[in-house]
Every structure is written in C-alpha cells, then in structure tokens.
Amino acid sequence: MWESKNIETNAIHGGKQSQGEHGPLSTPIYQTSTFVFDDVQQGADRFAGEAGGHIYSRLGNPTVEELENRMAILEGTEAAAAFGSGMGAVSAAIFALLKSGDHLVTSHRLYGCTYALFNHQLPALGIEVSFVDLADPQAVREAIKPNTKVIYGETPINPCMTVMDLDALAGIARERGIVTVIDNTFMSPILQRPAEHGIDLVLHSATKYLNGHGDVVAGILCGPAELIDQIKMTTRKDMGAVMSPHDAWLVIRGLKTLHLRMQRHGENGQVVAEYLEKHPAVEKVYYPGLPDHPGYKLLGKQMSGAGGVMAFELKQGFEQAVAFINGLQMCKRAVSLGDAETLIQHPASMTHSTYEPEELAAAGISRTLIRLAVGLENAEDIVADLEQALAGIG
Ligand code: PLP
C-alpha cells in the first residue's frame, strides 16, 4: 500500500487497494449487500473471525473499507470507520463509549443536532452531560468528575469559529484516562489533524469538505484500531448507520481534490472575511484568519489554514439580516458547507433551531448571526453578490 510523507499525494494514492485483474484506475464499487461463501465451513469461519473475507455489507464492504483506509492515513490514525451520516458517526461513538451512570463533558457550542443528542437523548438514558467552555482548560478541569468517560468537542466551533487548544484538552484527558472525541469537519485533515495532538477519536461529517460536491450524506470516525473495531462490531453493526458503497466511492473521488479545494476555500475565505470586516453595514466577523479572532493565535500551531466558514453580524436588526440573505443572487440559501457553491444560512432559525433562546445566548448565537460557507467560485463574484445584497438593505 502506497504512503507518502505528503498529504496531497496520500489523498490521491494512499490506502488504494489492489484493483484485481482488470486494473481499473477508479475504485470498483462493490454494490452488493452480501458475499457468497464457498461452503458452510467458510461461512462459519468468517463469522467466528477465524477466516478473512466479507460476510454482509453492514459488517464491512471493500469499497467502504478503501475509504476507511484512506481516511486513517490522512488523519494519521490506525483505523477508521465509515457511517451513513455525520450524526451516525457521533451516535455510534457516543453510545459505544458511554453507558447509564457515565458523565460526558462537552460544550454549548456544537452543531445543533449533536447538541440535541447530548442535551435531550443522553440525559433520558441516564447519561450525565456538562456543557462548559472547552476553550478554557480550567473550566474543563473543574467539570471533570470521577465518572467522566468522554470529552467531546468541535474546533473551530460551529458557527462562530471558536477555537480550542487540542494539546491542552488532550493533556487534561490523558492524565485521567478520559477518551477525547473531536469533530474535525470544518478543517478536514488537510488543515488540522487532531490525532497528532493526542486526541483519541477524530470525527467528520463527510457530507462536507471530504466529499465536497453536495451529493452525499456520510460520516467518518478515525482512531486507534482497537476502539474503531469495537465501534464497528457494536454500535455500527447493531444500530446500523452504515455508509453505502456508492457513497463511499463518491467520497473517495472527493478526497482526490481535497487539498486543492481546501486551498481555494481558504483563499476565498480570507478575501471575503476581509471584505466583510471593512464593510460599514457589518458589525462583527468571526473568522480565525482575522488577527482579532481569538483562534488566530492557533493558526500554524494546530491549524494550517482558517478554512472557508465564517459567521458575521450586521449592524442593523433581524429583518435586515433576513432581507440581506433573501437578496443574494449567486450564493445559495442552504445549510451545509464544504461544497463548490457558496452557501449561506441563518443558524438561529436553521442549524441551531433546536436551541432554546438562553442556549442560543450561551452559544454566542444572536438572531442576527449569519453563517457563510465560502465556495470555490472566483472570490470577486462572491464579494460582488454580497455587495449587491448589502446595498439592497440600505
Ligand atoms: N458535525 C458538524 C460540525 C456539522 O456541521 C454537521 C452537519 O452539518 C454534522 C456534524 C452532522 O453531519 P451529517 O449532516 O452528515 O449527519
């Protein structure tokens, strides 16, 4: 199996499996639910784990496994597991690591459905959850209890791009035998590799940058082989959020251009953030590529770029924010991010609509906050569309 010291080469060649007798350049799609055994003994041996070979696609599929191998190489972990959605990956990890009576330390600042899972489903199952500022190591230390089993965070955090120090977080958790899980969706392994900083499990909504073309819903978990195997053979197998072979193929295709796309998303992100910051109608821009953003100091330390997502607030109120979003002509009004198209959304009424008003305030999400996921268009065109929509609100 080819592996280079350069991540852009690995995104193209790393983890590629043997292509069989026909030698196709593109990975074959094993679009099959089940696999045929030569005889009963072979089937029994595979079920007993005494023989290699596939059994049934919910347990493992060669196309999906190729994506898993590629992602493990890119994130620098021993193994990876693919899922039918990012939330499938979140729940498979959480339910494999936590049982009734355990305690989870996390943040108010999370993707809305992850927050809903932690705030509603886990307490109903007897799992205790503390929401603290994970960017403050002292707050994390104080939140830890004897039954704390997992620390779960995102960095940069959706939607205000708050950045937490991964080395500090991993250090606190390691001393106490607590498993750390980091959602790396906003950065992709091109800009940030949490495992290099001691994080145990790295999670992605592969729906976003990894796939990159807005045509798949998928998730990935990367981590130590023992833990990943445990998740594959328990919560993934039994709860069933598996990735389809065709979706795995689309994500593999996306990975081949991930490096170039992240470069362009970052260049466009910087241009757009600097434009918005100077605009008289804009109150504040949240983007780690701007020197006044608290995450800026971690650029270079744990992130090699600021990516393509930012949030901003207008000086005027809610109605003007809505009129601005409705006035855009090229940028698409849609949730999600990491696609070729620039996407814009209103977190308080869309991705974070599961939050109560006080929870929105704790997460720093005002009713005028707008999230922009800058795409791959020419930056001039993105700026021109923002300009005409801002002019339209006076
Ligand atoms: N994590 C983050 C940071 C997200 O933005 C999302 C979705 O927007 C998810 C997880 C959930 O992923 P999916 O929509 O693929 O289930």
Side-chain angles (χ1 to χ4, degrees):
M1 198 184 287
W2 173 262
E3 203 175 322
S4 160
K5 63 178 180 5
N6 299 310
I7 195 160
E8 58 270 60
T9 308
N10 285 331
I12 296 167
H13 295 286
K16 202 162 163 57
Q17 293 174 339
S18 150
Q19 301 298 350
E21 58 178 325
H22 300 296
L25 178 66
S26 163
T27 303
I29 306 176
Y30 287 87
Q31 192 72 39
T32 183
S33 55
T34 197
F35 297 83
V36 177
F37 310 132
D38 290 342
D39 52 31
V40 171
Q41 191 57 49
Q42 190 186 50
D45 289 346
R46 288 187 188 178
F47 267 92
E50 285 162 10
H54 292 88
I55 298 174
Y56 184 69
S57 280
R58 182 156 41 77
L59 311 182
N61 172 287
T63 313
V64 177
E65 284 161 7
E66 178 170 322
L67 171 63
E68 292 170 345
N69 293 338
R70 285 169 175 263
M71 279 306 300
I73 291 172
L74 295 183
E75 281 291 1
T77 58
E78 287 173 359
F83 296 86
S85 69
M87 286 314 300
V90 177
S91 32
I94 286 300
F95 290 116
L97 294 169
L98 293 166
K99 59 181 187 327
S100 176
D102 289 342
H103 176 232
L104 166 72
V105 173
T106 186
S107 162
H108 274 290
R109 294 169 185 250
L110 286 169
Y111 168 60
C113 294
T114 308
Y115 183 72
L117 176 74
F118 292 175
N119 196 31
H120 301 301
Q121 318 302 337
L122 297 191
L125 296 169
I127 297 166
E128 237 186 302
V129 185
S130 297
F131 296 95
V132 300
D133 178 5
L134 294 184
D136 174 0
Q138 191 50 31
V140 178
R141 275 192 209 95
E142 285 167 12
I144 290 172
K145 302 179 183 189
N147 58 340
T148 306
K149 295 284 161 50
V150 177
I151 300 177
Y152 183 105
E154 293 172 17
T155 183
I157 303 172
N158 206 348
C160 292
M161 306 301 285
T162 318
V163 175
M164 69 184 73
D165 186 327
L166 292 173
D167 290 306
L169 201 69
I172 297 169
R174 275 274 150 88
E175 284 165 16
R176 297 162 177 84
I178 297 169
V179 177
T180 43
V181 186
I182 287 293
D183 184 332
N184 199 27
T185 300
F186 276 38
M187 290 279 94
S188 91
I190 301 297
L191 300 184
Q192 175 171 273
R193 288 177 293 284
E196 288 177 359
H197 300 272
I199 297 298
D200 298 303
L201 280 177
V202 181
L203 188 144
H204 286 275
S205 167
T207 315
K208 313 295 176 349
Y209 288 114
L210 299 183
N211 176 56
H213 294 77
D215 46 18
V216 160
V217 174
I220 301 270
L221 268 180
C222 304
E226 199 180 333
L227 189 49
I228 292 291
D229 283 350
Q230 182 205 329
I231 292 169
K232 282 183 179 171
M233 294 320 289
T234 56
T235 44
R236 188 177 75 170
K237 170 174 78 67
D238 300 336
M239 294 164 85
V242 289
M243 186 187 284
S244 85
H246 186 250
D247 286 353
W249 182 86
L250 286 166
V251 180
I252 291 169
R253 186 173 66 169
L255 291 183
K256 295 184 188 182
T257 56
L258 181 63
H259 188 268
L260 288 172
R261 289 187 287 107
M262 291 314 295
Q263 200 176 326
R264 181 64 170 260
H265 281 297
E267 287 163 8
N268 283 357
Q270 194 67 36
V271 170
V272 171
E274 287 174 10
Y275 159 77
L276 286 172
E277 195 187 30
K278 290 192 196 98
H279 198 285
V282 175
E283 176 68 26
K284 188 160 177 56
V285 182
Y286 303 87
Y287 181 66
L290 296 177
D292 69 344
H293 188 279
Y296 185 76
K297 61 181 184 308
L298 287 168
L299 273 180
K301 179 169 183 274
Q302 70 183 40
M303 305 147 74
S304 58
V309 184
M310 68 196 68
F312 60 98
E313 275 152 348
L314 299 181
K315 287 194 177 133
Q316 302 184 66
F318 174 70
E319 279 74 28
Q320 284 79 9
V322 170
F324 160 71
I325 297 173
N326 286 339
L328 289 161
Q329 291 172 0
M330 182 195 76
C331 303
K332 302 292 179 222
R333 286 168 287 279
V335 296
S336 205
L337 56 113
D339 293 327
E341 296 83 356
T342 294
L343 304 182
I344 193 154
Q345 65 114 348
H346 181 241
S349 54
M350 297 175 189
T351 46
H352 292 71
S353 55
T354 58
Y355 281 48
E356 297 296 333
E358 62 281 5
E359 294 170 331
L360 283 175
I365 301 171
S366 71
R367 291 218 325 135
T368 58
L369 189 82
I370 296 164
R371 188 184 80 185
L372 185 66
V374 171
L376 303 176
E377 304 95 338
N378 188 312
E380 248 178 58
D381 294 317
I382 306 171
V383 167
D385 196 19
L386 296 172
E387 179 80 18
Q388 68 76 24
L390 283 168
I393 61 167

